[in-house]
Amino acid sequence: MKVSRKVMGVEYAIRDIVAEARRLEAAGRRVTYLNIGDPPWYGFQAPRGVLEELSRSALAGHAHYAPSEGLAELRAEIAKKEAAKGLDCGAEDVLVTNGVSEALDMVIASIVEDGDEVLLPGPYYPPYASYIRLHGGVPVEFATDAESSEPDIADIRSKVTGRTVAICVINPNNPSGTVYGKKALSEIVDIAAERGLYVICDEIYDEIVFDGGFDGIGSVARDAAVIVLNGFSKVHLMSGLRAGYMAFSRTPALDAIREHLPKLARVRIATCLPVQHAALASLRMPNGYIADFVSGLRKRRDAVVRGLDSVPGLSCPVPRGAFYAFPRIEDERFADDRKFVMGLLESRGVLTVHGSGFGSRYGSGHFRVVFLAPVETLEGAVEAIRSYMA
Ligand SMILES: Cc1ncc(COP(=O)(O)O)c(C=O)c1O
């Protein structure tokens, strides 16, 4: 029976490679999983009050449908958070979704037609390219300097064509950990405003920044067509509960999408109500646990980056945010990053993700290591990589 070419083209490297690891485990091998950015899976649990609110809501009978746009109190609390980062928005500008993933799908579905181009930071989080292709569009990567965390503005300008509809920003970036500053964000917004493009900015790691502060794109958005994507999977340690949102900047440039996109929210009905109650509790509670999480991550980052950078044949820029190291493979014997990752898995039982899964242009020749595991596990993995390459 027929299957669409669009769906055949969907890829998600981070999960696609797990099948091979499972096969090894079934054969009795031990695997160290450093492939998925899932904090609770590694033991970073959401505060008890959040989980209590989840179960209280379920037991109170909230197993019914929620409003399609999201719970009013949650939208108001999200708007407060985004406004504090500089976005001009209120509760009516927020739409609650089943994770950033669903928000991304809805936004891309609403703006991309066959052949339209969307600029993506290279390397990028894979679902960006997958959703763009699924909706008939063409992902186009632009360069970012991994050492300085600066996007190449001239490269962005040169890649805007008559078919471009949007520039995506992932800040902090998965997989590279780069964090754009205000000047870079402002230059991207300028290009978008000049050329009549949307700016879609994913800030899911906004509070996981190690060196210096974080600038929300909202603080430089002015009248541009800026849409912020964010959620509860990373900072709020609620990945499996599936809560995210989009927040629209208050600008006439977004009038048309704001009229039509909410129809997509209505056809998929709603986000789980007890999960929304838990998300609300998470935003309202003291956020000391986030500071503890980030300081634990800083120790892991320092250990893993120092280790990887000391391995002959690798060079590892220091990620400024999120929880991923993205070393470059400089040893030509390992020029094919997928073979490198598969060989490492088979010979040493360490699962990472090949860089080409994050974009062929700027991701190839790298691999991604998630640094959520304990420092000893990460140090063991670095030594396994060292001996594998030797
Ligand atoms: C940049 C980025 N956006 C979105 C997601 C997925 O978010 P959610 O769990 O809210 O769907 C991830 C997960 O790794 C991510 O790295």
Side-chain angles (χ1 to χ4, degrees), residues 99-101 125 170 174 202 204-205 233-234 242 324:
V100 167
S101 309
Y125 175 59
I170 303 173
N174 173 10
D202 182 330
I204 195 167
Y205 299 100
S233 292
K234 314 293 179 179
R242 313 305 304 129
Y324 310 100

Side-chain angles (χ1 to χ4, degrees), residues 80-210:
K80 255 199 250 168
K81 167 175 168 153
E82 293 303 328
K85 291 192 294 173
L87 190 72
D88 180 17
C89 75
E92 65 288 0
D93 306 304
V94 172
L95 205 152
V96 179
T97 57
N98 294 288
V100 167
S101 309
E102 190 188 45
L104 177 64
D105 185 12
M106 287 182 187
V107 172
I108 298 296
S110 302
I111 66 175
V112 168
E113 291 187 297
D114 282 349
D116 285 346
E117 295 168 9
V118 178
L119 294 192
L120 294 182
Y124 54 78
Y125 175 59
Y128 277 79
S130 293
Y131 281 125
I132 292 164
R133 291 198 186 100
L134 186 64
H135 293 296
V138 182
V140 177
E141 299 169 59
F142 63 85
T144 296
D145 185 307
E147 301 290 345
S148 68
S149 255
E150 291 288 333
D152 185 336
I153 298 296
D155 190 45
I156 298 177
R157 278 195 184 280
S158 75
K159 286 174 176 162
V160 174
T161 72
R163 294 308 309 256
T164 309
V165 291
I167 306 175
C168 294
V169 173
I170 303 173
N171 200 38
N173 181 277
N174 173 10
S176 65
T178 52
V179 180
Y180 294 170
K182 222 172 191 154
K183 179 167 172 286
L185 294 170
S186 178
E187 286 172 326
I188 291 173
V189 166
D190 285 347
I191 298 173
E194 272 166 39
R195 304 295 301 262
L197 310 175
Y198 290 97
V199 179
I200 301 159
C201 190
D202 182 330
E203 299 186 353
I204 195 167
Y205 299 100
D206 56 1
E207 295 183 57
I208 308 176
V209 171
F210 306 113

Side-chain angles (χ1 to χ4, degrees), residues 262-302:
K263 292 185 237 170
L264 293 178
R266 288 176 219 138
V267 291
R268 60 83 221 218
I269 301 189
T271 301
C272 169
L273 191 47
V275 165
Q276 293 193 63
H277 284 131
L280 181 59
S282 176
L283 285 176
R284 285 183 173 163
M285 88 176 18
N287 61 4
Y289 73 97
I290 300 175
D292 292 345
F293 176 43
V294 174
S295 85
L297 288 178
R298 184 181 282 107
K299 289 193 194 96
R300 288 164 169 78
R301 175 197 68 162
D302 293 346

Side-chain angles (χ1 to χ4, degrees), residues 32 34 307-308 311 314 334 340 343-345 347-352 367 376-390:
T32 304
L34 303 179
L308 289 168
V311 174
L314 293 183
F334 300 104
F340 173 92
L344 177 64
L345 173 64
S347 71
R348 298 294 188 278
V350 173
L351 183 63
T352 58
F367 64 106
E376 312 79 70
T377 307
L378 294 169
E379 286 173 343
V382 168
E383 289 321 306
I385 293 168
R386 193 189 305 282
S387 80
Y388 167 63
M389 291 187 73

